Amino acid sequence: VLVALAFVFKLASNEFFLSGFEIIHPLHVLVSAAATSAIYYKYKRSFVGAILIGVVGAILIGSISDVLLPWIAGNLFSFQTILHLPIIEAPLLILGITVVGALFGIYIGLFKLNHSLHVFFSVFASLFYILAFSSEVGVIGILVSSLVVFLVVYVPCCISDIVFPILFIKKP
């Protein structure tokens, strides 16, 4: 399945991946903020704290998993990946979306759904980042990128949704 997907991705243009990243990254930080705020608010009923933890966790760790780690991996594999950081280039969009996500997490909850969507969107945001902001990437490069993406997504997403908010909860 991964090889077939690699060939399909090989046929797509950089504009497709750029547009995909510009849509999926904001969705990723939206559900990340919702998941992080939901878990924090569940254990510590602080509205302002939940908003701050959700926004900071989503933007900080989302930027690491969607941009910084794929950028580093792309350059390690000689894809000549350029740096594109949405929080700097579109701060109002990213901040606004994370606040909406944090509010959703506080008022609606749904941690398991938000966490699942968080991981799903992060996988595609990271993969699309490598494919959009790198020089020509062949089929082997896409396969390598897919494996790298799994690692750069799984750990940060779990840290963001579970470990990060728990660090700020004082009670056991």
Side-chain angles (χ1 to χ4, degrees):
V1 173
L2 191 57
V3 173
L5 191 60
F7 279 108
V8 170
F9 280 173
K10 179 69 179 139
L11 298 174
S13 67
N14 269 21
E15 290 79 26
F16 171 79
F17 295 117
L18 177 60
S19 298
F21 176 78
E22 297 297 340
I23 293 168
I24 294 172
H25 176 69
L27 289 173
H28 169 218
V29 294
L30 175 102
V31 294
S32 173
T36 304
S37 294
I39 202 77
Y40 181 86
Y41 194 73
K42 179 179 180 179
Y43 294 103
K44 189 170 185 178
R45 295 278 187 198
S46 168
F47 180 80
V48 173
I51 295 285
L52 288 173
I53 297 300
V55 169
V56 170
I59 291 173
L60 179 66
I61 300 172
S63 294
I64 290 170
S65 70
D66 286 1
V67 176
L68 294 178
L69 292 176
W71 174 71
I72 290 168
N75 285 309
L76 283 175
F77 289 106
S78 300
F79 296 157
Q80 299 169 346
T81 309
I82 60 170
L83 186 62
H84 167 76
L85 200 54
I87 187 60
I88 292 173
E89 296 177 19
L92 294 178
L93 172 70
I94 300 301
L95 284 170
I97 285 175
T98 55
V99 169
V100 168
L103 290 169
F104 183 86
I106 291 168
Y107 289 113
I108 308 297
L110 301 174
F111 172 77
K112 288 180 185 178
L113 175 64
N114 287 317
H115 178 66
S116 298
L117 288 172
H118 176 192
V119 173
F120 176 79
F121 287 137
S122 187
V123 165
F124 284 98
S126 299
L127 184 58
F128 281 21
Y129 182 88
I130 290 175
L131 297 174
F133 296 104
S134 296
S135 62
E136 186 67 27
V137 178
V139 173
I140 298 298
I142 293 171
L143 292 172
V144 168
S145 298
S146 299
L147 296 173
V148 167
V149 162
F150 176 76
L151 295 174
V152 303
V153 164
Y154 189 71
V155 173
C157 287
C158 289
I159 289 172
S160 172
D161 289 355
I162 300 164
V163 177
F164 186 73
I166 290 174
L167 289 174
F168 299 94
I169 299 171
K170 302 274 190 249
K171 58 184 166 183

